[in-house]
Amino acid sequence: MEPIEQFERTQPLIDTLEHIQTEATKKFHNTLDTRGQTTDSGLEVFIDEITGLRLRTEGVRQARAEELGFCDKLGVWQRGHSIKKCLEETGKHPVPMRFLDINKGDAEREELRSRLVVMETKKRSTIAPDDISATFSATPPFEGLRVIGSMVMSSPVEKHPEDDTVMLVIDISRAHPHCGMKRTVYVKLPKECNPEEDECALLQRCMYGCRDANQQFEFKVGDVMDHLDMKRGAFSPCVFAHRANSTAAWVHGDDFVLKVQRKRVAEVVSKIGQHLLVKVRAVLGPRGDDDKQVTILNRLITWRDQKGSVAEALEIEADPRHCQLILSQLGLNTPSSRGLGTPGVKTAGVMSPGKDLPKEEVTPHRSVTMRAAFLAQDRWELKFASKEAARFMNKPNEHGAAAVKRIGRFLVEHPRVVQVLKRQPKPKRVDTYTDTNHADCPFTRKSTSCTASFLGKHCVQFTSTTQIAHTLSSGESEWNGLVKGGANGLGVQSVCRDYGEELPLALHTDSSAAKGIGSRRGAGRLKHLDTGLLWLQEHAVSYTHLTLPTSDLV
């Protein structure tokens, strides 16, 4: 099989993060008054909710005034109600509100934003604390974004530029206030509204902080997509597709990513704009006047044009700030820090995970471990190492600390990795490859399953997990890994189906024993095999959804 180049490493890049404070900044920050107090000059102090840095007073006041003006214009609340009436109708006091002030820019390019949020907790809410159905909101599978990118880069290059398939990225401004309130909620107005002493307001629209705001916006998006004749996905309600013109959408909160023909971009934006406040962030495409870069959920998405021998491609890079934060937390952000070429810790001959970490080191260790696991969602070479480190989260020990330190030294050598989705023909199927390390854990002797799902040469999903049960042979562990790959592959297949692409699924394994189990029915001579793992045999026999190719195995 032709080797697949999925990632390209970039040169090490050492950037100073804006939200990692220098010692001088920390010293200055420690001298500040707390939020809401005033300085000696009489100016109120405003603090950035994310960085903890002081914000410019006049700029924050202007941002808050703009937010209140929007609330009044949209009719977010109805004033003139009393606290007594609130208690009579709800049995609870009005829910307090507060501003969240942040600088979305930096020190040179200030971009202050204030959002008024409702501080509705389970105790204050009129929704029962255990009523999950009233607050649940769906989120899309992240591989859906990569599938969108793969579909764009698998579309043919058209003769007419207007027929080209592009990636449209839009943002919905002030998403939650678009939704009307479905229940009675009274709020205590902020001091900027100059409320009367006994005054409260009745919410007419959802606000940030309402427990059911995310759910109401999910329903609102579904209604908007209905007006566009885009069908909601069965596998994920956050994925939509238009069967007639091949438009597809991936929705994560107020971020919309669409695969659409260039000639339909204006129409799609206009129709969504009839119901929501739309901000077009980018139209990524091959033309010279198309946008070439955008951030989606802090991932850097870049359209790379073809230049000479460099192929046209869509590049996906993890947020580099997480790498720098890991290095900072581990004390590896100095020029003398030594890097390593592999992220995993050698376990051969290791018989014990070592002593437990001191109490004061537990929380920092857990923080950097989970940050590494989050980074591994886009840095797949870290998947196994971060998974192994996270296994010691319950009782952090010396072995877990060494594993995290090893990841940090690997990031010193390779701070950035870019996934490259090159232009390719339209894929004919979903290919999922599986492999297993039998009893590789020296402490529990449990096995590790690894799966990778491809659309053509584009890897859209990668997993590394520890098997729950102990296995008695390598064939059994390989079968468990194949079952895991089948489940993940069916998930990717379902995402493609929600996008309007019906593709068969093929599983690939290098284990003849696992292939033998999948080719027959029942446990056979493996009497101890969990029958819950035999569902894959039905798909393999029917050949309706899944095949086990006899050739082209990895």
Side-chain angles (χ1 to χ4, degrees), residues 343-405:
V345 175
K346 294 181 179 180
T347 58
V350 178
M351 303 303 296
S352 170
K355 299 179 181 179
D356 293 344
L357 293 182
K359 186 177 180 179
E360 63 274 11
E361 297 181 15
V362 169
T363 298
H365 170 78
R366 287 173 174 165
S367 173
V368 70
T369 300
M370 292 315 298
R371 191 176 296 279
F374 182 81
L375 182 62
Q377 300 303 310
D378 300 283
R379 294 282 301 268
W380 293 338
E381 78 279 16
L382 300 178
K383 277 282 191 178
F384 176 77
S386 63
K387 183 264 293 184
E388 288 295 299
R391 294 178 62 197
F392 301 98
M393 285 275 290
N394 186 31
K395 294 185 63 177
N397 50 47
E398 293 175 341
H399 182 79
V404 174
K405 195 78 170 184

Side-chain angles (χ1 to χ4, degrees), residues 45-63:
V45 174
F46 298 104
I47 303 299
D48 191 305
E49 296 288 339
I50 297 178
T51 65
L53 298 177
R54 182 174 173 177
L55 300 175
R56 187 169 55 87
T57 300
E58 288 303 319
V60 172
R61 287 177 176 172
Q62 183 178 354

Side-chain angles (χ1 to χ4, degrees), residues 57-97:
T57 300
E58 288 303 319
V60 172
R61 287 177 176 172
Q62 183 178 354
R64 289 187 175 188
E66 180 183 347
E67 175 74 358
L68 290 175
F70 175 82
C71 291
D72 291 336
K73 181 179 179 180
L74 198 60
V76 171
W77 51 59
Q78 184 185 80
R79 299 188 60 167
H81 297 272
S82 65
I83 296 179
K84 179 180 179 181
K85 183 179 180 181
C86 170
L87 290 171
E88 290 175 351
E89 292 190 13
T90 66
K92 298 178 181 292
H93 285 274
V95 182
M97 306 175 73

Side-chain angles (χ1 to χ4, degrees), residues 86 92-99 116-121 123-125 185-190 200-201 203 207-210:
C86 170
K92 298 178 181 292
H93 285 274
V95 182
M97 306 175 73
R98 60 166 292 204
F99 281 99
L116 187 59
V117 300
V118 178
M119 300 169 64
E120 185 181 25
T121 61
K123 186 176 181 179
R124 293 169 175 160
S125 177
V185 176
Y186 288 91
V187 295
K188 184 178 179 180
L189 293 171
C200 62
L203 284 185
M207 292 198 67
Y208 296 101
C210 290

Side-chain angles (χ1 to χ4, degrees), residues 105-363:
D106 52 36
E108 297 181 358
R109 298 178 297 276
E110 184 183 68
E111 187 181 348
L112 297 179
R113 189 182 80 170
S114 294
R115 288 290 181 265
L116 187 59
V117 300
V118 178
M119 300 169 64
E120 185 181 25
T121 61
K122 290 184 178 180
K123 186 176 181 179
R124 293 169 175 160
S125 177
T126 56
I127 300 175
D130 57 349
D131 190 357
I132 299 176
S133 62
T135 58
F136 172 80
S137 61
T139 55
F142 190 71
E143 58 265 23
L145 177 60
R146 286 191 170 87
V147 172
I148 280 272
S150 176
M151 292 168 63
V152 171
M153 299 310 297
S154 301
S155 302
V157 179
E158 304 292 346
K159 295 181 179 179
H160 302 288
E162 290 301 311
D163 295 330
D164 284 340
T165 299
V166 297
M167 178 181 285
L168 171 64
V169 182
I170 63 177
D171 178 74
I172 306 302
S173 300
R174 295 178 172 86
H176 292 171
H178 286 90
C179 312
M181 283 297 297
K182 305 296 184 183
R183 56 194 176 94
T184 301
V185 176
Y186 288 91
V187 295
K188 184 178 179 180
L189 293 171
K191 62 181 181 180
E192 286 83 357
C193 293
N194 300 315
E196 299 292 336
E197 183 177 353
D198 190 44
E199 183 185 7
C200 62
L202 176 64
L203 284 185
Q204 304 295 305
R205 293 183 174 274
C206 286
M207 292 198 67
Y208 296 101
C210 290
R211 291 186 62 205
D212 58 346
N214 289 331
Q215 183 185 86
Q216 296 304 321
F217 186 69
E218 177 192 335
F219 295 157
K220 178 71 174 181
V221 170
D223 294 338
V224 172
M225 290 301 181
D226 285 341
H227 285 89
L228 272 69
D229 294 326
M230 296 188 69
K231 183 180 178 182
R232 185 193 296 267
F235 181 75
S236 172
C238 304
V239 169
F240 302 86
H242 194 295
R243 306 300 182 183
N245 56 33
S246 300
T247 301
W250 179 86
V251 179
H252 187 285
D254 56 4
D255 293 311
F256 287 49
V257 181
L258 297 98
K259 176 188 78 83
V260 61
Q261 285 184 302
R262 191 192 311 277
K263 62 185 178 184
R264 292 192 172 91
V265 168
E267 176 189 356
V268 170
V269 172
S270 175
K271 287 186 176 181
I272 297 178
Q274 294 175 9
H275 308 274
L276 304 170
L277 293 177
V278 176
K279 177 183 177 182
V280 178
R281 298 185 56 219
V283 179
L284 300 181
R287 284 203 330 197
D289 56 348
D290 287 331
D291 297 307
K292 300 301 177 183
Q293 198 171 76
V294 68
T295 57
I296 303 175
L297 300 182
N298 293 329
R299 277 84 171 177
L300 186 62
I301 312 297
T302 305
W303 188 288
R304 187 180 72 187
D305 293 326
Q306 182 174 1
K307 293 183 180 179
S309 60
V310 178
E312 182 183 30
L314 192 71
E315 299 179 346
I316 304 175
E317 181 181 359
D319 186 350
R321 294 176 297 179
H322 288 295
C323 174
Q324 295 297 334
L325 282 170
I326 291 173
L327 297 181
S328 176
Q329 288 178 279
L330 294 175
L332 297 174
N333 55 344
T334 62
S336 60
S337 298
R338 181 172 60 92
L340 295 173
T342 57
V345 175
K346 294 181 179 180
T347 58
V350 178
M351 303 303 296
S352 170
K355 299 179 181 179
D356 293 344
L357 293 182
K359 186 177 180 179
E360 63 274 11
E361 297 181 15
V362 169
T363 298

